[in-house]
Amino acid sequence: MQVTLAGITLANPIIAASGTFGYGIEFEEIVSLEALGAFVTKGISLQPMEGNRAPRLIQTAAGMLNAIGLQNVGVEDFIATKLSALKKYPRANVIVNVFGYTVGDYVAVVERLNQAEGIAAYELNVSCPNVHAGGMAFGSDCGSLEYLVGRVKAISKRPLIVKLSPNVTSIAQMAQISESSGADAVSLVNTFMAMSIDVETRQPRLTNITGGLSGPAIKPIALRMVYETARAVKIPILGMGGIITPEDAVEFLLAGATAVQVGTASYADPRATERLVKGLESWCRGHHIESVTSLTKALEIPKP
Ligand SMILES: Cc1cc2nc3c(=O)[nH]c(=O)nc-3n(C[C@H](O)[C@H](O)[C@H](O)COP(=O)(O)O)c2cc1C
């Protein structure tokens, strides 16, 4: 079940996705943190952020819509209280998701995290649809993305994963720009910009008006994006979008992902990530797969 990506060895390819697994430590009594391939923390910014006003999370058909607005404790408190509490799990791979409003913010957060111990890699969130500056603005503009990734890579002491937005014309092109600017891996996809309206009040259901759609509703689109990206870059891909079952994870691996992330599934079942580790292992055993790495990019396209 072991996979290697961006120089990190993971016991298996199942990773808890950012924003759906707290800072990891909140899940310690629910999930065996060291049993997962890794987990990604909530996006960390330089200063603490309160996020958007409620309602900021609603259920939709086959998924959910969120506009959390990157609520987080800020980098100092994260290091002092969350990361330090994770020290008792030395075999857990902690990937820190980083967010900023400006290039300087991203650089400052990574410089501060560089001084801390117990981090396996950084995941740069250039794809949040729920804040009004930064975030997706970087992930949807070629020049800004190139500059940001280059600047962070230059100072990063750890592998750099760039998390891409699906709200672009060509996600494969954004992955290529990330690769040529120094990214060690790309993760995709973040949520799709979407909205919901209450017809009785005629008002948007989210205070933020729009939000990001996640869950099974987005899986086929996310899968297509991973497939296209896998043909455009050589760096590893962390695929995600609506993964619930082991077969969903296998689909993403076949499309070209080296590992997968699991987000919304943890809202329906907080043990979803650990269940998927066991489920994928027994799927591989049942299909006589000796190494899970053999599934990556093993999609077979029938000849016409
Ligand atoms: C409530 C919520 C909060 C999220 N917060 C973040 C975040 O802070 N940083 C980030 O990069 N992605 C964030 N995401 C996106 C997820 O990590 C993931 O990319 C997306 O939900 C698609 O995967 P899924 O369908 O398995 O949930 C968030 C998603 C949800 C549902």
Side-chain angles (χ1 to χ4, degrees), residues 18-19 42-43 66 70 97 125 163 189-190 214-215 240 242 263-264 267:
S18 179
K42 177 70 190 159
N66 92 82
L70 290 164
N97 185 278
N125 179 3
K163 181 157 179 189
V189 296
N190 207 317
S214 62
M240 81 199 86
T264 301
Y267 278 80

Side-chain angles (χ1 to χ4, degrees), residues 16-21 40-43 97 123 125 163 240 261-263:
S18 179
T20 63
F21 206 71
V40 188
T41 68
K42 177 70 190 159
N97 185 278
E123 182 180 69
N125 179 3
K163 181 157 179 189
M240 81 199 86
Q261 295 192 17
V262 178

Side-chain angles (χ1 to χ4, degrees), residues 5 9-10 21 99 101 114 121 133 145 157 169 174 211 214 245 271:
L5 63 94
T9 300
L10 310 180
F21 206 71
F99 169 79
Y101 285 108
N114 276 341
L145 182 65
K157 291 194 173 146
T169 308
M174 293 304 180
S214 62
T245 66
R271 291 203 167 90

Side-chain angles (χ1 to χ4, degrees), residues 110-134:
V110 171
E111 274 177 337
R112 183 67 190 89
L113 292 170
N114 276 341
Q115 298 159 18
E117 281 173 22
I119 300 171
Y122 303 129
E123 182 180 69
L124 226 53
N125 179 3
V126 295
S127 44
C128 182
N130 303 322
V131 284
H132 297 293

